mmCIF file of all heavy atoms in Angstrom:
data_model
loop_
_atom_site.group_PDB
_atom_site.id
_atom_site.type_symbol
_atom_site.label_atom_id
_atom_site.label_comp_id
_atom_site.label_asym_id
_atom_site.label_seq_id
_atom_site.Cartn_x
_atom_site.Cartn_y
_atom_site.Cartn_z
ATOM 1 N N GLN A 44 2.697 21.292 11.522
ATOM 2 C CA GLN A 44 1.596 21.681 12.406
ATOM 3 C C GLN A 44 2.152 21.901 13.805
ATOM 4 O O GLN A 44 2.569 20.945 14.469
ATOM 5 C CB GLN A 44 0.519 20.604 12.421
ATOM 6 C CG GLN A 44 -0.735 20.988 13.177
ATOM 7 C CD GLN A 44 -1.870 19.989 12.937
ATOM 8 O OE1 GLN A 44 -1.649 18.791 12.782
ATOM 9 N NE2 GLN A 44 -3.092 20.496 12.892
ATOM 10 N N LEU A 50 -2.532 23.898 10.071
ATOM 11 C CA LEU A 50 -1.564 23.331 9.131
ATOM 12 C C LEU A 50 -0.840 24.439 8.373
ATOM 13 O O LEU A 50 -1.444 25.448 7.999
ATOM 14 C CB LEU A 50 -2.295 22.412 8.147
ATOM 15 C CG LEU A 50 -3.017 21.232 8.783
ATOM 16 C CD1 LEU A 50 -3.989 20.609 7.784
ATOM 17 C CD2 LEU A 50 -2.009 20.188 9.252
ATOM 18 N N TRP A 52 1.898 24.756 5.086
ATOM 19 C CA TRP A 52 2.756 24.206 4.038
ATOM 20 C C TRP A 52 4.165 24.776 4.188
ATOM 21 O O TRP A 52 4.327 25.982 4.419
ATOM 22 C CB TRP A 52 2.190 24.562 2.664
ATOM 23 C CG TRP A 52 3.087 24.175 1.531
ATOM 24 C CD1 TRP A 52 3.226 22.939 0.974
ATOM 25 C CD2 TRP A 52 3.971 25.034 0.814
ATOM 26 N NE1 TRP A 52 4.147 22.990 -0.041
ATOM 27 C CE2 TRP A 52 4.615 24.257 -0.159
ATOM 28 C CE3 TRP A 52 4.282 26.392 0.901
ATOM 29 C CZ2 TRP A 52 5.552 24.794 -1.052
ATOM 30 C CZ3 TRP A 52 5.205 26.936 0.029
ATOM 31 C CH2 TRP A 52 5.837 26.140 -0.940
ATOM 32 N N TYR A 100 5.023 16.730 8.540
ATOM 33 C CA TYR A 100 4.448 15.672 7.723
ATOM 34 C C TYR A 100 5.088 15.659 6.339
ATOM 35 O O TYR A 100 5.248 16.719 5.698
ATOM 36 C CB TYR A 100 2.948 15.890 7.535
ATOM 37 C CG TYR A 100 2.101 15.752 8.779
ATOM 38 C CD1 TYR A 100 1.629 16.881 9.439
ATOM 39 C CD2 TYR A 100 1.749 14.498 9.273
ATOM 40 C CE1 TYR A 100 0.816 16.768 10.568
ATOM 41 C CE2 TYR A 100 0.956 14.381 10.400
ATOM 42 C CZ TYR A 100 0.499 15.509 11.041
ATOM 43 O OH TYR A 100 -0.303 15.387 12.161
ATOM 44 N N VAL A 108 -3.316 12.778 -10.535
ATOM 45 C CA VAL A 108 -4.746 12.749 -10.847
ATOM 46 C C VAL A 108 -5.128 14.102 -11.442
ATOM 47 O O VAL A 108 -4.764 15.147 -10.890
ATOM 48 C CB VAL A 108 -5.593 12.477 -9.587
ATOM 49 C CG1 VAL A 108 -7.079 12.600 -9.893
ATOM 50 C CG2 VAL A 108 -5.246 11.116 -9.008
ATOM 51 N N GLY A 110 -6.626 17.438 -12.049
ATOM 52 C CA GLY A 110 -7.315 18.371 -11.174
ATOM 53 C C GLY A 110 -6.837 18.367 -9.746
ATOM 54 O O GLY A 110 -7.220 19.221 -8.948
ATOM 55 N N HIS A 113 -1.215 19.726 -6.516
ATOM 56 C CA HIS A 113 -0.970 20.524 -5.317
ATOM 57 C C HIS A 113 -2.055 20.362 -4.268
ATOM 58 O O HIS A 113 -2.148 21.172 -3.338
ATOM 59 C CB HIS A 113 -0.720 21.989 -5.659
ATOM 60 C CG HIS A 113 0.341 22.173 -6.691
ATOM 61 N ND1 HIS A 113 1.478 21.396 -6.740
ATOM 62 C CD2 HIS A 113 0.431 23.021 -7.740
ATOM 63 C CE1 HIS A 113 2.217 21.772 -7.763
ATOM 64 N NE2 HIS A 113 1.618 22.753 -8.386
ATOM 65 N N PHE A 115 -2.957 17.432 -1.403
ATOM 66 C CA PHE A 115 -2.059 16.546 -0.682
ATOM 67 C C PHE A 115 -2.785 15.224 -0.408
ATOM 68 O O PHE A 115 -3.593 15.153 0.520
ATOM 69 C CB PHE A 115 -1.596 17.209 0.609
ATOM 70 C CG PHE A 115 -1.045 18.605 0.411
ATOM 71 C CD1 PHE A 115 -1.413 19.633 1.248
ATOM 72 C CD2 PHE A 115 -0.160 18.880 -0.623
ATOM 73 C CE1 PHE A 115 -0.904 20.921 1.073
ATOM 74 C CE2 PHE A 115 0.347 20.159 -0.813
ATOM 75 C CZ PHE A 115 -0.032 21.186 0.044
ATOM 76 N N TRP A 118 -0.386 11.239 3.254
ATOM 77 C CA TRP A 118 0.351 11.855 4.354
ATOM 78 C C TRP A 118 1.083 10.786 5.164
ATOM 79 O O TRP A 118 0.552 9.682 5.376
ATOM 80 C CB TRP A 118 -0.606 12.599 5.287
ATOM 81 C CG TRP A 118 -1.335 13.753 4.673
ATOM 82 C CD1 TRP A 118 -2.241 13.714 3.651
ATOM 83 C CD2 TRP A 118 -1.216 15.124 5.053
ATOM 84 N NE1 TRP A 118 -2.693 14.977 3.365
ATOM 85 C CE2 TRP A 118 -2.085 15.869 4.224
ATOM 86 C CE3 TRP A 118 -0.471 15.807 6.020
ATOM 87 C CZ2 TRP A 118 -2.217 17.253 4.325
ATOM 88 C CZ3 TRP A 118 -0.619 17.185 6.127
ATOM 89 C CH2 TRP A 118 -1.490 17.892 5.286
ATOM 90 N N GLY A 119 2.265 11.127 5.644
ATOM 91 C CA GLY A 119 2.914 10.275 6.623
ATOM 92 C C GLY A 119 2.294 10.478 7.988
ATOM 93 O O GLY A 119 1.357 11.272 8.158
ATOM 94 N N TYR B 40 -9.724 18.840 3.810
ATOM 95 C CA TYR B 40 -9.113 17.768 4.589
ATOM 96 C C TYR B 40 -9.871 17.585 5.900
ATOM 97 O O TYR B 40 -10.425 18.534 6.454
ATOM 98 C CB TYR B 40 -7.650 18.089 4.925
ATOM 99 C CG TYR B 40 -6.811 18.319 3.698
ATOM 100 C CD1 TYR B 40 -6.747 19.586 3.118
ATOM 101 C CD2 TYR B 40 -6.101 17.279 3.103
ATOM 102 C CE1 TYR B 40 -6.002 19.810 1.976
ATOM 103 C CE2 TYR B 40 -5.356 17.498 1.956
ATOM 104 C CZ TYR B 40 -5.313 18.766 1.405
ATOM 105 O OH TYR B 40 -4.577 18.980 0.265
ATOM 106 N N GLN B 42 -9.149 16.089 9.800
ATOM 107 C CA GLN B 42 -8.109 15.663 10.729
ATOM 108 C C GLN B 42 -8.727 15.297 12.071
ATOM 109 O O GLN B 42 -9.470 16.087 12.650
ATOM 110 C CB GLN B 42 -7.046 16.742 10.923
ATOM 111 C CG GLN B 42 -5.877 16.245 11.762
ATOM 112 C CD GLN B 42 -4.772 17.276 11.926
ATOM 113 O OE1 GLN B 42 -5.034 18.476 11.988
ATOM 114 N NE2 GLN B 42 -3.531 16.807 12.010
ATOM 115 N N ALA B 47 -2.782 12.230 11.110
ATOM 116 C CA ALA B 47 -2.504 13.074 9.961
ATOM 117 C C ALA B 47 -3.807 13.457 9.269
ATOM 118 O O ALA B 47 -4.800 12.727 9.336
ATOM 119 C CB ALA B 47 -1.599 12.338 8.984
ATOM 120 N N PRO B 48 -3.815 14.594 8.603
ATOM 121 C CA PRO B 48 -4.994 14.959 7.811
ATOM 122 C C PRO B 48 -5.252 13.947 6.708
ATOM 123 O O PRO B 48 -4.351 13.228 6.263
ATOM 124 C CB PRO B 48 -4.613 16.335 7.234
ATOM 125 C CG PRO B 48 -3.586 16.862 8.168
ATOM 126 C CD PRO B 48 -2.807 15.652 8.607
ATOM 127 N N TYR B 53 -10.870 17.413 -3.745
ATOM 128 C CA TYR B 53 -9.917 18.226 -4.488
ATOM 129 C C TYR B 53 -10.638 18.878 -5.660
ATOM 130 O O TYR B 53 -11.757 18.486 -5.998
ATOM 131 C CB TYR B 53 -8.718 17.395 -4.959
ATOM 132 C CG TYR B 53 -9.083 16.284 -5.919
ATOM 133 C CD1 TYR B 53 -9.078 16.497 -7.295
ATOM 134 C CD2 TYR B 53 -9.434 15.017 -5.452
ATOM 135 C CE1 TYR B 53 -9.418 15.489 -8.181
ATOM 136 C CE2 TYR B 53 -9.777 14.006 -6.324
ATOM 137 C CZ TYR B 53 -9.760 14.243 -7.693
ATOM 138 O OH TYR B 53 -10.098 13.240 -8.561
ATOM 139 N N TYR B 91 -10.204 21.330 7.328
ATOM 140 C CA TYR B 91 -9.388 22.426 6.793
ATOM 141 C C TYR B 91 -9.603 22.546 5.286
ATOM 142 O O TYR B 91 -9.657 21.529 4.584
ATOM 143 C CB TYR B 91 -7.898 22.166 7.008
ATOM 144 C CG TYR B 91 -7.451 22.148 8.452
ATOM 145 C CD1 TYR B 91 -7.381 20.952 9.167
ATOM 146 C CD2 TYR B 91 -7.053 23.322 9.099
ATOM 147 C CE1 TYR B 91 -6.954 20.926 10.491
ATOM 148 C CE2 TYR B 91 -6.620 23.302 10.416
ATOM 149 C CZ TYR B 91 -6.579 22.102 11.103
ATOM 150 O OH TYR B 91 -6.146 22.078 12.410
ATOM 151 N N GLN B 93 -7.776 24.281 1.778
ATOM 152 C CA GLN B 93 -6.412 24.613 1.319
ATOM 153 C C GLN B 93 -6.479 25.068 -0.122
ATOM 154 O O GLN B 93 -7.100 24.407 -0.953
ATOM 155 C CB GLN B 93 -5.502 23.398 1.428
ATOM 156 C CG GLN B 93 -4.109 23.579 0.853
ATOM 157 C CD GLN B 93 -3.791 22.622 -0.281
ATOM 158 O OE1 GLN B 93 -4.306 21.510 -0.350
ATOM 159 N NE2 GLN B 93 -2.923 23.033 -1.190
ATOM 160 N N ALA B 95 -4.755 25.462 -3.657
ATOM 161 C CA ALA B 95 -3.704 24.808 -4.431
ATOM 162 C C ALA B 95 -3.404 25.606 -5.696
ATOM 163 O O ALA B 95 -2.886 25.055 -6.675
ATOM 164 C CB ALA B 95 -4.147 23.387 -4.783
ATOM 165 N N PHE B 100 1.254 27.595 -0.786
ATOM 166 C CA PHE B 100 -0.051 26.975 -0.560
ATOM 167 C C PHE B 100 -0.472 27.269 0.878
ATOM 168 O O PHE B 100 0.329 27.140 1.804
ATOM 169 C CB PHE B 100 0.037 25.477 -0.803
ATOM 170 C CG PHE B 100 0.562 25.148 -2.166
ATOM 171 C CD1 PHE B 100 1.678 24.347 -2.320
ATOM 172 C CD2 PHE B 100 -0.034 25.656 -3.308
ATOM 173 C CE1 PHE B 100 2.185 24.061 -3.578
ATOM 174 C CE2 PHE B 100 0.462 25.379 -4.572
ATOM 175 C CZ PHE B 100 1.571 24.584 -4.707
ATOM 176 N N PHE B 102 -3.572 27.177 4.074
ATOM 177 C CA PHE B 102 -4.721 26.497 4.650
ATOM 178 C C PHE B 102 -5.618 27.487 5.388
ATOM 179 O O PHE B 102 -5.138 28.517 5.902
ATOM 180 C CB PHE B 102 -4.269 25.449 5.678
ATOM 181 C CG PHE B 102 -3.559 24.263 5.098
ATOM 182 C CD1 PHE B 102 -2.178 24.303 4.886
ATOM 183 C CD2 PHE B 102 -4.241 23.095 4.793
ATOM 184 C CE1 PHE B 102 -1.506 23.201 4.375
ATOM 185 C CE2 PHE B 102 -3.589 21.980 4.283
ATOM 186 C CZ PHE B 102 -2.211 22.045 4.072
#
Side-chain angles (χ1 to χ4, degrees):
Chain A
Q44 187 169 34
L50 299 165
W52 173 80
Y100 293 103
V108 174
H113 308 322
F115 309 135
W118 297 64
Chain B
Y40 302 86
Q42 187 178 34
Y53 63 91
Y91 294 94
Q93 174 241 331
F100 304 124
F102 291 87

